[in-house]
């Protein structure tokens, strides 16, 4: 079909030929403005790997439970109400038991938390759960395990509490329970002994054992890191507790923290109201209640609030650690290349020879006694014993360091290598034990010459502990295993402190000085008058005016304790002084000789 004067046009429609689409050639891309190249598409951002703190100590994934909050609050109130800050007494033991019960509640709540593997299920796409192709189910399980591990490292889902190696199992629970029992034991010393210096040492030990009870550190590096965790745990526990209070307050079902707090508040109001009424009705009951209740004066209220804040913060930090303990098991030094046999054998052989020569000299001192000391030119008892003690400390520290490095670097591949390690390190340990025995003997000679004091008794206790420490090191060298050694080092130190408290050091010092006075007629009355009330039964054996001069200062500083300040040592001293009061005047005591 053509039109006049036109060109032929193909017919359209069902009867015409099929249309052919014209070929479209791509046009060259327009150049970017100003000649700048186009930017490449942005790569997807990868998630930042968790930090070491997030991996080692992610903290509880959920909020603080009502039982944990209620137990911590109740223990803080009890501790703030019963603690006596001036002197040790029964209140410290009650506060320690309350805190242990609160942290035990947190541990029990943690143990009932379901395992993350059993409780957490990853959503799957349709068809993946029923897939039967080889490797599909295995790949899905591996991906789920990987995601669960990643979630545990970054905090996990609510309720997922991954188990920390060695802490949630039976061995970890037993170790933490043992540290908790040791903490209560050293604090209980304040109920039976009146010596303030001894109770101060017990409080320092309680801080260490309490930290190990809530963290579970085992290796030396893990124990050192564990000491720094309680302050950080308190700071991290505050938002955790606030979230728990809000979550339990908004919950409509179950026993929340608000209901428990309301019940405790109503109970406190009722007890206070009826207690005041009964106190006004009976004077004996009023005295009993007055000893149980805290001071309600303005200064007493401020002190109570400060104690409440400190104890409450510490308990919250402890509950935070117990609920999700940090993973301190992997904090160990990296393995090093074993040294060549000559590199460590020659130094140890020479060191053994030096120790043997020193021990031979010490044997003459050990059997020379006081006569040897007095015949030695320019040597006094003080220089002889005190110098030997500090020398022992330096030798002990260096010897333990040498043994640790040698046991780590020495090759143990063959039987000959292991035998050589046992012989050389065992010899060094045995020679160190002889040095410990020599130092103990020198301290005994010094105490016999000048009398027993607190410093000399503590020195002897430390030396005995060092001797036990060398025995443990020798066992570790013989067995080629020392994983248990760091915990036993701390445990034996706590046992040594408890043994020192068991022998009643101030009374033992007084008894030895009184026996020495009855034999030689020499006595340092001014020193004995500065002992605690524990020494009163022993000083009561002195004749007058020695007795009154030694007991005068102790009797003047012996207060009447309230119920929470009850102390067995002060109670015994009070009974002795009430039976036979002091009678000497100040002028009678001024003329007494020092020795």
């Amino acid at each position: 079909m053509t039109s006049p004067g036109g060109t032929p046009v193909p017919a359209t429609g069902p009867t015409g030929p099929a249309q052919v689409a014209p070929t479209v050639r791509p046009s060259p891309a327009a150049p970017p403005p100003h000649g700048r190249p186009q930017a490449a598409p942005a790569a997807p951002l990868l998630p930042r790997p968790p930090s070491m703190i997030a991996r080692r100590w992610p903290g509880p994934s959920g909020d603080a439970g009502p039982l944990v909050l209620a137990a911590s609050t109740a223990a803080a109130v009890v501790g703030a109400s019963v603690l006596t800050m001036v002197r040790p007494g029964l209140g410290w033991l009650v506060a320690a038991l309350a805190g242990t019960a609160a942290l035990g509640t947190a541990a029990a709540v943690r143990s009932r938390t379901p395992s993350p593997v059993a409780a957490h299920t990853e959503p799957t796409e349709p068809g993946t759960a029923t897939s039967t192709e080889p490797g599909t189910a295995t790949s899905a399980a591996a991906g789920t395990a990987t995601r669960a591990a990643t979630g545990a490292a970054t905090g996990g889902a609510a309720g997922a509490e991954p188990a920390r190696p060695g802490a949630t199992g039976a061995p970890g629970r037993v170790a933490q329970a043992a540290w908790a029992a040791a903490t209560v034991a050293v604090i209980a010393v304040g109920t039976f002994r009146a010596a303030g210096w001894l109770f101060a040492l017990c409080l320092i030990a309680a801080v260490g054992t309490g930290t190990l009870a809530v963290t579970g550190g085992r290796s030396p590096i893990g124990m050192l890191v564990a000491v720094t965790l309680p302050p950080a745990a308190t700071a991290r526990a505050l938002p955790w507790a606030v979230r728990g209070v809000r979550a339990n307050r908004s919950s409509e079902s179950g026993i929340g923290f608000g209901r428990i707090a309301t019940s405790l508040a109503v109970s406190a109001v009722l007890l206070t109201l009826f207690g005041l009424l009964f106190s006004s009705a009976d004077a004996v009951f009023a005295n009993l209640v007055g000893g149980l209740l805290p001071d309600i004066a303005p200064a007493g209220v401020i002190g109570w609030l400060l104690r409440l804040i400190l104890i409450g913060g510490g308990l919250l930090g402890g509950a935070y650690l117990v609920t999700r303990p940090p993973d301190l098991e992997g904090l160990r030094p990296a393995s090093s290349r074993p040294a060549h046999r000559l590199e460590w054998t020659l130094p140890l052989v020479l060191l053994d020879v030096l120790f043997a020569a020193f021990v031979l000299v010490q044997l003459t001192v050990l059997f020379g006694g006081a006569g040897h000391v007095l015949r030695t030119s320019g040597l006094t008892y003080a220089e002889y014993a005190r110098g030997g003690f500090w020398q022992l400390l330096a030798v002990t520290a260096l010897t333990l360091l040498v043994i640790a490095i040698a046991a780590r670097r020495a090759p143990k591949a063959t039987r000959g290598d292991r035998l050589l390690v046992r012989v050389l390190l065992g010899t060094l340990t045995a020679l160190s034990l002889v040095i410990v025995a020599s130092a103990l003997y020198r301290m005994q000679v010094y105490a016999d010459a000048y009398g027993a004091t607190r410093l000399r008794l503590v020195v002897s206790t430390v030396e005995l502990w060092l001797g036990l420490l060398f025995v443990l090191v020798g066992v570790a060298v013989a067995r080629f295993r020392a994983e248990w050694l760091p915990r036993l080092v701390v445990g034996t130190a706590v046992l040594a402190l408890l043994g020192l408290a068991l022998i009643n050091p101030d009374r033992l010092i007084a008894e030895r000085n009184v026996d020495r006075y009855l034999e030689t007629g020499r006595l340092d009355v001014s020193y004995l008058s500065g002992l605690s009330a524990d020494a009163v039964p022993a000083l009561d054996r002195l004749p007058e005016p020695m007795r009154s001069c030694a007991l005068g200062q102790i009797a003047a500083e012996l207060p009447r304790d309230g119920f929470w300040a009850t102390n067995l040592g002060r109670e015994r001293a009070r009974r002795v002084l009430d039976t036979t009061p002091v009678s000497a005047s100040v002028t009678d005591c001024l003329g007494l000789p020092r020795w």
Side-chain angles (χ1 to χ4, degrees), residues 53-81:
I53 296 179
R55 289 184 285 106
R56 294 284 183 182
W57 188 27
S61 54
D63 302 328
L67 288 179
V68 175
L69 292 175
S72 301
T73 302
V77 171
V78 170
S81 303

Side-chain angles (χ1 to χ4, degrees), residues 333-384:
S335 58
S336 58
R337 180 185 59 84
H340 191 271
R341 179 178 295 183
L342 183 63
E343 295 177 359
W344 67 274
T345 302
L346 181 60
L348 277 185
V349 169
L350 296 178
L351 193 61
D352 285 343
V353 172
L354 177 63
F355 269 58
F358 184 78
V359 165
L360 289 177
V361 175
Q362 293 303 299
L363 290 178
T364 61
V365 175
L366 191 64
F367 296 104
H372 172 82
V373 177
L374 295 177
R375 287 192 302 269
T376 303
S377 175
L379 188 62
T380 65
Y381 278 109
E383 295 171 347
Y384 181 67

Side-chain angles (χ1 to χ4, degrees), residues 514-522:
V514 170
D515 293 339
R516 177 173 168 271
Y517 169 75
L518 296 178
E519 293 178 0
T520 64
R522 295 183 296 175

Side-chain angles (χ1 to χ4, degrees), residues 182-484:
T183 304
V184 175
V186 293
I187 292 180
V189 171
T191 307
F192 301 96
R193 299 290 178 255
W197 65 273
L198 179 63
F199 187 62
L201 294 178
C202 290
L203 287 182
I204 296 174
V207 172
T209 55
T211 300
L212 293 177
V214 297
T215 58
R218 296 186 179 187
S219 63
I221 299 178
M223 289 182 175
L224 292 176
V225 173
V227 176
T228 64
L229 292 181
T234 300
R236 295 180 64 176
L238 292 178
W240 175 65
V242 171
R243 293 194 306 268
V245 171
R246 292 176 179 175
N248 289 284
R249 184 175 55 186
S250 60
S251 178
E252 298 294 337
S253 61
I255 301 177
F257 175 74
R259 293 183 175 89
I260 297 177
T262 302
S263 177
L264 293 176
V266 171
S267 301
V269 170
L270 292 177
L271 290 177
T272 302
L273 176 61
F274 285 96
L276 292 176
L277 291 175
F278 285 133
S279 299
S280 61
D282 188 87
V284 177
F285 186 79
N287 292 332
L288 177 62
V289 174
L292 293 175
L293 296 178
D295 187 10
I296 59 175
V301 172
I302 294 176
W304 184 87
L305 290 175
L306 290 177
R307 293 194 298 272
L308 179 67
I309 293 173
L310 292 176
I311 298 174
L315 288 176
L316 274 180
Y320 187 88
L321 285 167
V322 169
T323 304
R324 185 70 174 274
D327 183 10
L328 303 178
E329 299 303 319
L331 298 178
R332 303 178 186 275
S335 58
S336 58
R337 180 185 59 84
H340 191 271
R341 179 178 295 183
L342 183 63
E343 295 177 359
W344 67 274
T345 302
L346 181 60
L348 277 185
V349 169
L350 296 178
L351 193 61
D352 285 343
V353 172
L354 177 63
F355 269 58
F358 184 78
V359 165
L360 289 177
V361 175
Q362 293 303 299
L363 290 178
T364 61
V365 175
L366 191 64
F367 296 104
H372 172 82
V373 177
L374 295 177
R375 287 192 302 269
T376 303
S377 175
L379 188 62
T380 65
Y381 278 109
E383 295 171 347
Y384 181 67
R386 292 179 182 175
F389 172 67
W390 298 117
Q391 176 190 16
L392 172 66
L393 287 181
V395 168
T396 301
L398 292 176
T399 304
L400 291 176
L401 181 62
V402 168
I403 292 176
I405 295 176
R408 182 175 177 80
R409 296 295 307 277
K412 310 177 189 66
T414 64
R415 180 177 298 179
D417 290 335
R418 293 190 293 271
L419 179 61
L420 192 59
V421 170
R422 288 189 175 100
V423 170
L424 293 180
L425 295 185
T427 302
L428 189 60
T429 303
L431 294 175
S432 301
L433 282 174
V434 178
I435 296 175
V436 170
S438 174
L440 281 171
Y441 182 78
R442 284 184 288 177
M443 184 55 65
Q444 180 66 31
V445 172
Y446 184 45
D448 290 341
Y450 289 104
T453 62
R454 291 171 175 171
L455 177 61
R456 295 159 198 169
L457 184 59
V458 172
V459 163
S460 300
T461 305
V462 172
E463 288 171 346
L464 286 173
W465 173 68
L466 291 176
L468 179 59
L469 186 59
F470 274 111
V471 172
L472 296 176
V473 169
V475 173
V477 170
R479 297 182 57 189
F480 283 112
R481 297 190 62 181
E483 296 85 0
W484 46 269

Side-chain angles (χ1 to χ4, degrees), residues 35-218:
R36 296 178 182 176
Q38 289 183 343
L45 296 177
L46 297 177
R48 178 179 297 179
S51 63
M52 186 186 70
I53 296 179
R55 289 184 285 106
R56 294 284 183 182
W57 188 27
S61 54
D63 302 328
L67 288 179
V68 175
L69 292 175
S72 301
T73 302
V77 171
V78 170
S81 303
V82 304
L83 276 185
T84 54
M85 305 303 297
V86 179
R87 52 189 178 273
L90 178 63
W92 285 88
L93 177 58
V94 174
L97 291 174
T100 303
L103 297 180
T105 302
V109 171
R110 180 197 68 179
S111 64
R112 291 200 301 266
T113 303
S115 173
V117 177
H120 187 61
T121 304
E122 289 288 333
T124 57
E125 296 181 2
T128 57
T130 58
S131 176
T132 57
E133 295 182 6
T136 304
T138 305
S139 302
T144 302
T146 305
R147 289 189 294 270
T150 306
T154 56
E161 301 289 345
R164 185 173 64 83
T168 55
R173 285 196 297 267
V174 171
Q176 288 181 302
W179 290 125
T183 304
V184 175
V186 293
I187 292 180
V189 171
T191 307
F192 301 96
R193 299 290 178 255
W197 65 273
L198 179 63
F199 187 62
L201 294 178
C202 290
L203 287 182
I204 296 174
V207 172
T209 55
T211 300
L212 293 177
V214 297
T215 58
R218 296 186 179 187

